[in-house]
Amino acid sequence: MACLLEAPLRISVLSEVTATSRHYVDRLFDPDPQKVLQGVIDMKNAVIGNNKQKANLIVLGAVPRLLYLLQQGSSSSELRAECAVVLGSLAMGTENNIKSLVDCHIIPALLQGLLCPDLIFIEACLRCLRTVFISPVTPVQLLYTDPTVIPHLMSLLSRSQRTQEYITQIFSHCCKTPEHQTVLFNHGAIQNIAPLLISPSYKVRMQALKCFSVLAYENTQVSMTLVNVLVDEELLSQVFVRMMQRDQPIDMQLTAAKCLTYMCRAGAIRTDDSCIVLKALPCLVRMCSKERLLEERVEGAETLAYLMEPDVELQRIASVTDHLVAMLADYFKYPSSVSAITDIKRLDHDLKHAHELRQAAFKLYASLGSNDEDIRKKITETENMMDRIVSGLSESSVKVRLAAVRCLHSLSRSVQQLRTSFHDHAVWKPLMKLLQNAPDEVLVMASSTLCNLLLEFSPSKEPILESGVIELLCSLTQSDSPALRVNGIWALMNMAFQADQKVKGEIVRALGTEQLFRLLSDPDSNVLMKTLGLLRNLLSTRPHIDQVMSSHGKQIMQAVTLILEGEHSIEVKEQTLCILANIADGNTAKELIMTNDDILQKIKYYMAHSNVKLQLAATFCISNLIWNEEDGSQERQDKLRELGFVDILHKLTQASDPNLCDRAKTAMQQYLA
């Protein structure tokens, strides 16, 4: 029977809590302003640290009433400030609380409150705005809706240390897009925030620093301006260097290193500048050591990966700094023992976030190994590294899978690794599995890696071919994503290189002529280039050339004509002329050129073109057509002489480019033989 009594008991407790909460809300409607003030103060004390009480008050409609009191001109300054404090406290509850506050239009009300001259009220409004805006559920665009808000916030920076701390924190959380960066930059963010970097308050210095890191990220205009800023007659970059000293708090060291990293990546600081090589890079490597907290290690590794991504020299320096390659191996063994972390809350947090460490390590390995063969070797020889990458490819977290495949892609640029580690660990199997069903960003990186595994010297090429990959790659060429279309066709191009007729036939059959010609008119020039590359590889060796041209010659000649007539780059036209040169090398295929006066005129035009690459390719075409040892060469030579090709060849034997000159002479010798 006991279980029957439980339900009414729970209801009575709940109604008691609601009744207490109702009492707080009722007091907000008292006609006596003094009692209303006392009611708000009592409410403030009741909600501190009590999420249940916060939720109850929100449900009972406290928020609209508090906002009404806050906005009433007749309310005393003290009452308005206390209302802002209570609203700030309610905002510190759950995400649902924040959503309720935003739905009640708390942001416009608080922004309006900033126009009041009373500093205590302004600080209370800013503190509440800060709490609301740092929540991930608040739409940051609400800060930019009214164009007068940002300049007004800038003007409030000089009022007190608190306004400085809250406003810079709001800016750093609400600066999410290049448009936001531009708005803040245009309203003088740099001039107004720079002096705060030497504020006596650590909190103000820290928030100002975070502001600069989000302003400079991938922004050349901001970064170029920051380089020339002086703070108390000291260059800003030197202020950042001082903030990275080992005696500074870790958060400050890390954020200062991020500022310099972003300025460097935006082109404002050279990669060989001492503040990068001797200060930012070693500071970020320090952040990767196992003494640091999990989030510091993650941020340190990801920032370091970003810093050196495009620069081989920085990659080399980092690879020999503090045994970084070996240090990163610890990211996969975390937490290694429970005893190392005495704080149970911290252990629970770290177990939930350990995948972020693996993701960061893969990213950093990818960046380290993107250019240098010795570093790649060092990475693959790190304990169980290939096994870790293989298991990373099937992790539940998409971000880890993406980072693992990015790491694999970086290592797959090495001929040595393709022939050894990749083959020994059969990495193509999990890679193929990943390609079956993954988000686009993972697909792009996985298919890029597959392109490298299909190069002719890769031992993985054969087993991949046997696994039925052609259909999969052909389906990628139909994707809406240009990157996936490029990778699909690129992989097919690599597969067709020096392949036997059976493989080439399978590619043509699976792709279908319709899709092949659709790709030849693709708006993306990379797709077009790779499709031409595929066609060129399909049309290599005479039997293959004749076979492909006998079944698809008409369409191929049509596509070639369209490209040579169209507005395309030199590279595209050169590749197209090389395809014609291959066709001209066929036994029967060359007749498709000889009987097409339009194409012959185009070859003639490109032989006299101002670009040497096009002249070379066109001359190679003619050379193949008139080659002496082949049947019908005399008739072809006579026809081309009549069309004026000999005169052009004669002129080209005087060309200033030695290669063009030699090729023209070789062709002329066919007439003299």
Side-chain angles (χ1 to χ4, degrees):
M1 292 300 287
C3 59
L4 291 176
L5 291 172
E6 231 175 274
L9 186 67
R10 275 216 303 273
I11 289 167
S12 69
V13 170
L14 186 62
S15 59
E16 216 173 283
V17 172
T18 313
T20 320
S21 307
R22 164 69 63 201
H23 168 63
Y24 286 119
V25 178
D26 289 344
R27 288 170 70 189
L28 300 180
F29 291 88
D30 198 290
D32 182 348
Q34 208 46 46
K35 286 184 178 171
V36 173
L37 175 62
Q38 195 52 52
V40 174
I41 291 167
D42 290 348
M43 187 185 280
K44 173 180 75 177
N45 296 331
V47 295
I48 291 170
N50 187 338
N51 276 352
K52 186 138 196 178
Q53 185 68 278
K54 290 175 187 180
N56 281 337
L57 289 170
I58 289 170
V59 168
L60 292 169
V63 177
R65 183 63 184 169
L66 287 166
L67 285 172
Y68 172 79
L69 294 170
L70 179 134
Q71 291 175 94
Q72 278 301 98
S74 57
S75 298
S76 68
S77 294
E78 192 183 355
L79 174 59
R80 295 172 81 187
E82 290 292 353
C83 286
V85 171
V86 175
L87 288 163
S89 195
L90 294 177
M92 284 184 175
T94 63
E95 287 186 352
N96 280 337
N97 291 9
I98 297 269
K99 281 180 187 162
S100 304
L101 293 171
V102 172
D103 290 344
C104 289
H105 307 293
I106 187 173
I107 291 172
L110 291 169
L111 290 172
Q112 191 64 32
L114 298 179
L115 298 171
C116 168
D118 184 88
L119 182 60
I120 292 171
F121 178 51
I122 287 173
E123 288 176 352
C125 287
L126 284 171
R127 192 185 306 115
C128 184
L129 279 166
R130 181 270 313 264
T131 307
V132 172
F133 273 122
I134 63 176
S135 165
V137 298
T138 306
V140 296
Q141 203 48 43
L142 292 170
L143 186 69
Y144 303 94
T145 314
D146 178 348
T148 64
V149 168
I150 301 294
H152 185 60
L153 287 170
M154 293 292 177
S155 72
L156 292 174
L157 278 169
S158 57
R159 292 294 299 272
S160 72
Q161 282 185 5
R162 285 200 179 102
T163 64
Q164 290 166 354
E165 179 195 336
Y166 304 147
I167 291 169
T168 46
Q169 197 171 357
I170 289 167
F171 285 162
S172 59
H173 275 277
C174 295
C175 186
K176 303 282 188 197
T177 67
E179 291 73 33
H180 296 161
Q181 290 173 325
T182 303
V183 171
L184 293 170
F185 176 80
N186 289 343
H187 284 106
I190 293 176
Q191 305 85 295
N192 285 299
I193 297 170
L196 308 185
L197 290 170
I198 52 171
S199 163
S201 156
Y202 172 73
K203 284 181 176 177
V204 172
R205 292 199 304 280
M206 200 54 232
Q207 292 307 332
L209 191 58
K210 284 184 174 169
C211 234
F212 280 130
S213 77
V214 295
L215 281 168
Y217 181 66
E218 291 189 345
N219 193 310
T220 304
Q221 184 187 31
V222 171
S223 297
M224 289 296 195
T225 309
L226 288 178
V227 165
N228 299 312
V229 169
L230 289 172
V231 181
D232 204 20
E233 297 185 8
E234 187 179 22
L235 277 172
L236 197 58
S237 56
Q238 288 312 304
V239 176
F240 294 153
V241 165
R242 269 195 297 105
M243 290 175 149
M244 286 189 297
Q245 287 170 355
R246 289 169 188 255
D247 59 350
Q248 296 296 336
I250 294 298
D251 199 16
M252 182 169 273
Q253 289 183 46
L254 187 48
T255 312
K258 280 168 85 171
C259 288
L260 287 170
T261 293
Y262 299 158
M263 288 163 73
C264 178
R265 282 299 307 265
I269 301 176
R270 287 166 56 103
T271 52
D272 58 0
D273 191 298
S274 62
C275 74
I276 298 295
V277 178
L278 302 178
K279 300 294 179 182
L281 187 143
C283 171
L284 291 168
V285 172
R286 282 203 304 277
M287 296 302 144
C288 299
S289 79
K290 57 181 169 197
E291 282 71 52
R292 301 269 56 86
L293 291 174
L294 178 140
E295 45 272 41
E296 292 160 1
R297 294 170 80 186
V298 169
E299 219 173 318
E302 292 194 339
T303 309
L304 182 55
Y306 181 67
L307 171 65
M308 62 187 179
E309 197 174 23
D311 192 90
V312 66
E313 204 40 53
L314 287 180
Q315 290 157 14
R316 287 181 184 136
I317 294 165
S319 72
V320 294
T321 304
D322 290 354
H323 308 290
L324 177 64
V325 174
M327 198 195 300
L328 284 176
D330 288 334
Y331 277 46
F332 297 95
K333 310 170 191 166
Y334 189 82
S336 50
S337 65
V338 178
S339 58
I341 302 175
T342 47
D343 180 348
I344 294 298
K345 256 189 176 175
R346 168 50 68 177
L347 178 66
D348 184 50
H349 168 274
D350 285 4
L351 285 168
K352 283 183 186 140
H353 293 268
H355 68 277
E356 290 175 22
L357 273 177
R358 295 192 292 279
Q359 177 194 335
F362 283 138
K363 274 188 189 173
L364 187 42
Y365 276 137
S367 192
L368 273 168
S370 56
N371 291 292
D372 188 284
E373 195 58 43
D374 292 338
I375 301 174
R376 290 186 192 124
K377 190 168 183 289
K378 214 177 192 181
I379 292 169
T380 50
E381 286 172 358
T382 304
E383 49 177 325
N384 307 327
M385 192 58 216
M386 293 309 289
D387 292 334
R388 283 180 179 138
I389 294 173
V390 166
S391 47
L393 294 174
S394 55
E395 278 213 27
S396 56
S397 158
V398 174
K399 287 181 174 176
V400 177
R401 290 206 300 275
L402 178 59
V405 78
R406 190 181 282 172
C407 182
L408 196 64
H409 178 250
S410 182
L411 297 172
S412 74
R413 291 178 177 147
S414 158
V415 177
Q416 175 71 25
Q417 296 311 324
L418 284 174
R419 284 180 170 158
T420 54
S421 312
F422 277 60
H423 184 54
D424 299 344
H425 291 83
V427 295
W428 65 270
K429 287 181 182 174
L431 192 65
M432 288 291 292
K433 196 175 169 192
L434 194 62
L435 280 161
Q436 306 299 329
N437 179 25
D440 270 11
E441 54 181 348
V442 176
L443 271 181
V444 168
M445 205 45 75
S447 52
S448 263
T449 310
L450 192 66
C451 288
N452 292 343
L453 290 177
L454 286 166
L455 290 163
E456 95 277 11
F457 48 73
S458 163
S460 308
K461 184 174 181 175
E462 283 309 310
I464 293 173
L465 270 172
E466 286 160 17
S467 73
V469 73
I470 295 176
E471 297 287 343
L472 174 77
L473 295 173
C474 291
S475 69
L476 288 183
T477 70
Q478 297 176 11
S479 166
D480 290 337
S481 153
L484 286 175
R485 292 202 301 280
V486 166
N487 288 348
I489 205 77
W490 195 340
L492 290 168
M493 180 186 91
N494 287 351
M495 196 183 285
F497 182 74
Q498 294 183 350
D500 57 35
Q501 187 54 39
K502 179 174 169 281
V503 171
K504 288 182 180 179
E506 274 180 44
I507 292 172
V508 174
R509 208 166 28 256
L511 192 59
T513 45
E514 217 174 288
Q515 176 62 3
L516 181 63
F517 297 113
R518 197 177 294 130
L519 291 165
L520 284 170
S521 55
D522 198 283
D524 188 286
S525 63
N526 289 327
V527 175
L528 176 55
M529 272 299 278
K530 294 294 175 250
T531 310
L532 290 168
L534 168 64
L535 201 49
R536 193 174 165 184
N537 286 349
L538 291 172
L539 294 165
S540 62
T541 76
R542 283 180 183 166
H544 296 179
I545 294 167
D546 291 333
Q547 195 169 346
V548 172
M549 292 307 288
S550 68
S551 48
H552 305 291
K554 193 181 167 194
Q555 297 108 307
I556 289 173
M557 294 306 283
Q558 222 172 347
V560 164
T561 307
L562 283 172
I563 293 169
L564 291 177
E565 282 175 357
E567 292 290 319
H568 292 289
S569 66
I570 297 292
E571 289 72 27
V572 166
K573 294 199 170 182
E574 182 193 11
Q575 187 80 293
T576 309
L577 287 166
C578 289
I579 288 170
L580 271 182
N582 282 14
I583 295 168
D585 193 38
N587 289 322
T588 55
K590 53 168 58 88
E591 285 311 308
L592 287 162
I593 299 176
M594 289 307 299
T595 55
N596 189 328
D597 286 349
D598 186 21
I599 283 284
L600 287 171
Q601 288 305 323
K602 285 184 171 49
I603 295 171
K604 193 172 168 184
Y605 166 77
Y606 284 109
M607 283 174 78
H609 198 276
S610 57
N611 186 284
V612 174
K613 285 181 176 178
L614 298 183
Q615 287 180 292
L616 271 165
T619 308
F620 195 37
C621 249
I622 294 303
S623 196
N624 281 349
L625 288 172
I626 61 175
W627 206 254
N628 261 328
E629 294 150 21
E630 291 164 14
D631 290 346
S633 61
Q634 192 58 54
E635 291 88 338
R636 289 192 294 277
Q637 285 180 9
D638 293 344
K639 179 173 180 178
L640 294 174
R641 187 194 297 274
E642 280 168 35
L643 291 170
F645 278 90
V646 175
D647 297 338
I648 299 174
L649 284 173
H650 189 67
K651 270 185 204 160
L652 292 179
T653 57
Q654 311 298 315
S656 56
D657 183 86
N659 290 334
L660 182 56
C661 178
D662 288 351
R663 192 161 285 176
K665 282 177 183 171
T666 307
M668 282 298 285
Q669 279 164 5
Q670 302 308 307
Y671 276 98
L672 303 171

